[in-house]
Amino acid sequence: MSGLFTTILACLLIQNVLAIEVNPEDETSLKNAAKTVATTMMDFYNARNSNDIPGKMDDTWWEGGSMFMTLIQYWYLTGDSQFNDAIQEGMYWQKGENNFFPSNYSQYLGNDDQVFWGLAAITAGELNFPEREHEPSWISLAEGVFNGQIPRWDVKNCGGGLRWQIWPYQDGYNLKNAISNGGLFQLSARLALYTRNATYAEWAEKIWDWSASTPLLRKNWTNGTESKWLEGVTGLIKTSNQFFPESGGNQILSDITCEPINRCDRNQKTFKAYFTGWLGFMSLIVPANITAEVMGKFKVSAVAAGQQCSGGSDGNHCGVRWTKKAEWDGTMGLEQQMSVLGVLNAVMVPFKADGPYNTDNGGTSKSDPVGGTNEQANVGPAPITTGDRVGAGILTAIFVIVWVGATCFMLVGGE
């Protein structure tokens, strides 16, 4: 009997030292936790079957872009450059014709797949992530995605919008959804903020206005003053309260569409990375009082996420259900690691309190308005006004909340 008690006691002691300890008020603690999470994530990346194709994940293509985006944020916030070569190699390998539309996968890609690589590129540009000599700039690659998607804007059905899929033979071609239109919206707004090219700001507002006229976005805050844009951000952030359920004391982030029934698919397991990471950097753009409450919840979520990283043989593999805290939910994978890294990144942002950069405040990545096309730029971009600058910053912020509640609707009239 004493042997049994000894075994139980040993198990309890081991359980207490498992998981990743996170002190959200201590930058060193956050950096150490993020390094552990990122290293495990890259272990999954390096062990994939498609390891001979840089940037390509098994059975999916878009996720490589989202992972690199999260890692670029990690590098910027921690200074840890050990993964930079892998990021550069993967992103340049998948760049296609400088528009992240590589011929090997273009026959089945959707607009949302492509735009995630564009968002990774704009993130790299905004954070001055190192570029390789004789390769296109990060900003020009983001512009290549923009230039590839704008011609797909479809005014014949529903008066505008971007279809989910690109080719008529794809399932989902007859859908216009929030992720595709929201992705192009965010890319346009961030390009406007970085380059000061008014064309990008005009497209961002056009996409927003169209979305507001559809079930994708039910309230129209467009064409207003700065205060109305801020009202829009505040209102949309309030809608995110639903993602902090009672099961986590209304303080821990949860994907309420799948976590309560333990049915999150591969894509859903990554969503918290984008929600937290984008909102974290958004806190540097909008007034602090707007994001203070949700950033406080991210601190609680980061602690719980670290506790959920108690699986695997090393006791550091992360699950997806942070509301369970130290009770590991039995899942592990690259996607779970990415989501935890996202919330740790978000909580580290206030310690950095700098960025994102643009052409006016130290951004080094060069713009190419005709990136990803065969044209040559002969004229400079149209100047952007003070009002456009305010709008671009707020537009960027608004998208974050819109995307999380992504829904889709069927095209009326089909073809």
Side-chain angles (χ1 to χ4, degrees), residues 152-161 176 206:
R152 301 176 195 146
W153 185 259
D154 171 34
V155 297
K156 294 181 179 179
N157 297 279
C158 302
K176 293 184 178 179
K206 181 176 183 177

Side-chain angles (χ1 to χ4, degrees), residues 188-200:
S188 303
R190 291 168 68 176
L191 282 171
L193 194 61
Y194 186 94
T195 67
R196 305 314 195 193
N197 186 332
T199 299
Y200 299 129

Side-chain angles (χ1 to χ4, degrees), residues 227-246:
S227 62
K228 289 185 178 180
W229 281 115
L230 292 175
E231 176 191 348
V233 176
T234 302
L236 287 167
I237 286 181
K238 286 181 179 178
T239 68
S240 72
N241 288 336
Q242 63 186 305
F243 300 111
F244 297 90
E246 290 185 9

